[in-house]
């Protein structure tokens, strides 16, 4: 059994109360680790350390190339420990080895991307009037509170930690209380590569205590949060006290629009991947499939046939295509939504139940679930379920498709499938979402900005935008003729 400690000021520590939390394998319900359960006091300690360390300049005043050299080393260590990290991620989150392996590779690539980016040309100069030279430089924001969810425990951590450290900030990081394992391993690597103590701090504990303290503290300059929209709202309120700089990557209910002229099998295939990859626990999941009327019946039949054939099981089994949900509580939430769908009058086409037998009894497995005959006011169409549950609706024409696609408070992602290039671009430009695909679903790149419109968030992670989220912008105006202004006579 793993004993997971917090990492504060370069030291591995239990929480001040010595409390522990059991961490479970969602495929078996077995306890795999005990994690230090911190509270607001532990968070305050880590915040104070991050504050003092930032103000000392020990990290922010290193040259960019020196900071980059640490990040390159972290990437190397992640790759060296890829097999171990992959197995641990599956054990903690439940995702199949194939997905966990991609996450570790992406995590290493993300560190390399930001290590490279921070040493590239930066800043601007402006041709201003008078004997002046105006220029802009970027500086670190300061102490950054980083709070992440459980669906990509390692990768979501890295999407924040890599740019935050590259930019010269110090950090107080909080993983989800459900999935802390691989982030503890990442901090072991941070220690191994010799990042100065106090720069990167890890506090574990619940969102209501540790997360709330990080969001509220006036010693923290920035919050970068990924999680649910409801929590995002709480964080905005908590962050208001000292007008923190905030970035929010929140939930979604993303439309996947399929026109009759699309390549049929490609559209079905990506639609399956769009919702069932990650067991539907993906913020950008294509959870509302919209299909043009003339192919609706054929699409529904083929999609359901393939959904029923998805091999659901433990992530440790190499044949598994879809793993369990992350926890019992989350499984119950997803099963509740399935009951709500039935009560609302939607037609259940396939799935809709907890899977048992064949060694699945102790795990949190839900069958790939398809609802149709839904209306836009149903909760299963409006609310993020964050599980392997999809609704399929038909549309009449392009205008109808766009109206249905945008009929949501969210705006994270969306896709369109058609062989008509002009139509594809017309429709994508009308969809109010930050991450979109044409004839594909889900490919994600370190180079491209990640984030949502509307209630899906504020700001963008990844790419150059993701670095700027962790930087302040300073203008410096230099007088080239050093003499009095003469504004006042005497
Ligand atoms: P969540 O309940 O909002 O939790 C996310 C993180 O916030 C966890 O570390 C949680 O801690 C912490 N937290 C909870 N309450 C808090 C509070 N009052 N103050 C500060 N922190 C608090 O979300 P989740 O259920 O873990 O994750 C699923 C959600 O994340 C979905 O809505 C999904 O769409 C979203 N997501 C978005 C993106 C994106 O890029 N847009 C990516 C991945 C996931 P505890 O776990 O310890 O409670």
């Amino acid at each position: 059994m793993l004993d997971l400690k917090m990492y504060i000021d370069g030291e591995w520590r239990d929480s001040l109360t010595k409390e522990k939390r059991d961490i479970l394998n969602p495929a078996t319900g077995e306890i795999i680790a005990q994690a230090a359960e911190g509270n607001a006091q532990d968070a305050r300690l880590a915040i104070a350390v991050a504050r003092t360390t930032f103000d000392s300049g020990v990290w922010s005043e290193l040259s960019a190339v020196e900071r980059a050299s640490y990040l390159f080393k972290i990437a190397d260590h992640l790759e060296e420990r890829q097999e171990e990290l992959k197995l641990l991620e599956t054990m903690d989150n439940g995702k199949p080895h194939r997905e966990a392996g991609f996450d570790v590779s992406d995590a290493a690539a993300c560190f390399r991307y930001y290590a490279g980016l921070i040493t590239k040309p930066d800043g601007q100069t402006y041709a201003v009037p008078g004997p002046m030279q105006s220029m802009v430089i970027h500086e670190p924001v300061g102490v950054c509170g980083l709070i992440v969810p459980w669906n990509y425990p390692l990768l979501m951590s890295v999407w924040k930690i890599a740019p935050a450290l590259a930019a010269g900030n110090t950090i107080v990081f909080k993983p989800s209380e459900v999935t802390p394992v691989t982030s503890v391993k990442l901090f072991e690597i941070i220690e191994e590569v010799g990042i100065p103590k106090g720069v990167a701090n890890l506090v574990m504990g619940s969102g209501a205590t540790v997360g709330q303290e990080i969001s509220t503290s006036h010693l923290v300059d920035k919050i970068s949060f990924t999680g649910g929209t409801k929590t995002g709202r709480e964080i905005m309120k908590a962050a208001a006290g000292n007008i923190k700089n905030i970035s929010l990557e929140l939930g979604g209910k993303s439309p996947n629009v399929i026109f009759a002229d699309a390549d049929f099998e490609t559209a079905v295939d990506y639609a399956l991947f769009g919702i069932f990859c990650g067991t539907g626990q993906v913020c950008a999941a294509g959870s509302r499939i919209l299909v043009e009327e003339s192919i609706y019946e054929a699409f529904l039949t083929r999609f359901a046939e393939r959904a029923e054939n998805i091999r659901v099981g433990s992530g440790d089994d190499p044949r598994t295509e879809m793993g369990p949900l992350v926890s019992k509580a989350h499984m119950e939430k997803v099963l509740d939504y399935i009951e709500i769908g039935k009560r609302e009058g939607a037609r259940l086409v396939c799935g809709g139940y907890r899977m048992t037998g064949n060694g699945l009894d102790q795990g949190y497995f839900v069958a790939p679930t398809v609802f149709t005959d839904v209306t836009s006011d149903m909760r299963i169409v409006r609310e993020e379920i964050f599980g392997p549950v999809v609704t399929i609706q038909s549309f009449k024409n392009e205008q109808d498709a766009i109206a249905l696609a945008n009929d949501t408070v969210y705006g994270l992602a969306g896709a369109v499938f058609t062989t008509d290039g002009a139509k594809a671009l017309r429709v994508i430009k009308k969809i109010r979402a930050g991450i979109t695909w044409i004839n594909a679903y889900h490919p994600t790149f370190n180079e491209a900005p990640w984030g949502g419109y509307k209630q899906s968030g504020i700001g963008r992670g990844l790419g150059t935008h993701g670095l700027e989220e962790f930087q302040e912008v300073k203008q410096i105006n230099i007088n080239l003729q050093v003499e009095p202004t003469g504004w006042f006579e005497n």
Side-chain angles (χ1 to χ4, degrees):
M1 167 132 35
L2 295 164
D3 177 25
L4 306 175
K5 294 197 189 314
M6 305 194 283
Y7 186 69
I8 300 173
D9 204 10
E11 279 176 26
W12 293 97
R13 306 180 184 207
D14 283 319
S15 67
L16 292 167
T17 62
K18 310 277 182 236
E19 253 184 82
K20 300 268 187 193
R21 177 188 291 268
D22 291 339
I23 307 299
L24 308 185
N25 178 338
T28 62
E30 286 163 359
I31 300 174
I32 54 169
Q34 285 206 315
E37 176 73 358
N39 61 23
Q41 260 187 303
D42 298 280
R44 279 197 285 276
L45 185 63
I47 291 166
V49 166
R51 181 80 262 164
T52 313
T53 310
F54 180 78
D55 294 341
S56 77
V58 65
W59 184 245
S60 60
E61 290 171 18
L62 283 187
S63 68
V65 84
E66 281 173 298
R67 286 201 302 274
S69 74
Y70 287 104
L71 302 199
F72 280 123
K73 281 187 210 148
I74 294 176
D76 293 343
H77 283 235
L78 282 168
E79 276 176 353
E80 280 157 24
R81 294 174 68 171
Q82 174 147 20
E83 191 58 22
E84 174 202 353
L85 291 167
K86 179 183 83 178
L87 298 179
L88 289 173
E89 196 76 315
T90 295
M91 201 165 86
D92 194 10
N93 163 280
K95 60 177 66 192
H97 286 173
R98 179 170 60 168
E99 287 179 30
F102 280 127
D103 289 0
V104 183
S105 306
D106 284 353
C110 187
F111 269 105
R112 290 208 178 95
Y113 175 79
Y114 283 109
L117 188 62
I118 198 64
T119 61
K120 297 299 174 284
D122 182 45
Q124 286 173 320
T125 59
Y126 301 94
V128 293
M132 300 289 288
Q133 176 67 59
S134 184
M135 66 181 189
V136 153
I137 61 165
H138 289 112
E139 295 184 340
V141 182
V143 176
C144 298
L146 313 178
I147 302 176
V148 300
W150 43 256
N151 61 340
Y152 288 83
L154 178 67
L155 195 58
M156 289 298 110
S157 315
V158 169
W159 282 14
K160 297 189 187 307
I161 293 174
L165 292 183
N169 299 285
T170 59
I171 62 172
V172 178
F173 170 83
K174 188 196 106 58
S176 164
E177 62 198 0
V178 187
T179 53
V181 176
T182 47
S183 43
V184 170
K185 297 292 148 188
L186 175 61
F187 274 78
E188 285 177 12
I189 291 173
I190 286 174
E191 182 187 33
E192 278 161 24
V193 303
I195 289 197
K197 69 189 185 82
V199 171
N201 303 281
L202 161 73
V203 187
M204 292 182 281
S206 78
T209 55
V210 172
Q212 184 70 23
E213 183 62 33
I214 296 171
S215 314
T216 311
S217 169
H218 286 210
L219 298 179
V220 174
D221 301 298
K222 177 180 179 87
I223 288 287
S224 178
F225 168 77
T226 298
T229 295
K230 190 166 161 274
T231 315
R233 216 170 267 126
E234 291 299 312
I235 286 177
M236 281 183 89
K237 285 185 207 152
N242 65 328
I243 317 287
K244 279 187 191 61
N245 175 324
I246 51 176
S247 302
L248 304 173
E249 306 278 344
L250 308 177
K253 192 74 182 176
S254 300
N256 187 358
V257 180
I258 294 160
F259 283 96
D261 63 1
D263 184 290
F264 186 80
E265 286 300 330
T266 301
V268 170
D269 193 64
Y270 269 109
L272 282 168
F273 187 57
I275 181 63
F276 297 125
C277 162
T279 320
Q281 304 165 116
V282 179
C283 51
S287 50
R288 290 185 299 132
I289 300 176
L290 310 174
V291 186
E292 193 162 5
E293 246 171 17
S294 60
I295 60 158
Y296 166 74
E297 285 299 341
F299 183 94
L300 187 63
T301 305
R302 181 74 178 129
F303 185 89
E305 175 187 273
R306 289 200 58 189
E308 282 182 318
N309 282 332
I310 289 174
R311 291 192 298 270
V312 180
S314 160
D316 288 325
D317 180 344
R319 293 176 67 253
T320 291
E321 294 175 322
M322 195 180 98
L325 290 161
V326 75
S327 66
K328 185 159 184 281
H330 188 55
M331 176 186 70
E332 280 162 3
K333 182 182 154 198
V334 171
L335 291 171
D336 267 356
Y337 268 112
I338 291 171
E339 290 312 310
I340 289 168
K342 290 190 215 162
R343 278 205 303 279
E344 286 178 317
R347 175 158 67 94
L348 183 63
V349 180
C350 67
Y353 55 91
R354 177 178 184 178
M355 297 179 80
T356 49
N358 297 322
L360 304 186
D361 290 12
Q362 305 307 315
Y364 314 128
F365 297 92
V366 171
T369 299
V370 179
F371 277 109
T372 193
D373 297 345
V374 294
T375 52
S376 294
D377 57 343
M378 289 182 179
R379 284 183 62 194
I380 57 165
V381 175
R382 307 209 73 77
E383 297 175 19
E384 184 183 46
I385 299 173
F386 220 56
V389 181
V390 70
T391 60
I392 305 187
Q393 290 169 269
S394 69
F395 65 83
K396 288 188 180 43
N397 54 35
E398 197 175 313
Q399 285 65 36
D400 191 24
I402 293 164
L404 283 172
N406 285 332
D407 187 10
T408 169
V409 297
Y410 294 109
L412 189 58
V416 58
F417 285 80
T418 170
T419 46
D420 177 339
K423 180 164 69 180
L425 198 51
R426 264 197 322 269
V427 173
I428 277 298
K429 286 183 72 176
K430 289 276 186 188
I431 291 181
R432 303 277 300 152
I435 305 154
T436 64
W437 296 277
I438 293 174
N439 292 322
Y441 209 101
H442 273 332
T444 304
F445 307 98
N446 285 321
E447 296 82 350
W450 181 272
Y453 289 19
K454 302 198 271 183
Q455 293 186 30
S456 288
I458 298 176
R460 294 292 178 273
L462 296 183
T464 53
H465 294 79
L467 181 65
E468 286 163 13
E469 293 279 315
F470 290 102
Q471 292 176 316
E472 288 285 9
V473 176
K474 176 177 281 177
Q475 61 165 280
I476 303 178
N477 300 300
I478 307 159
N479 188 355
L480 305 180
Q481 263 171 17
V482 184
E483 58 188 19
T485 62
W487 184 271
F488 300 107
E489 266 180 44
N490 301 306

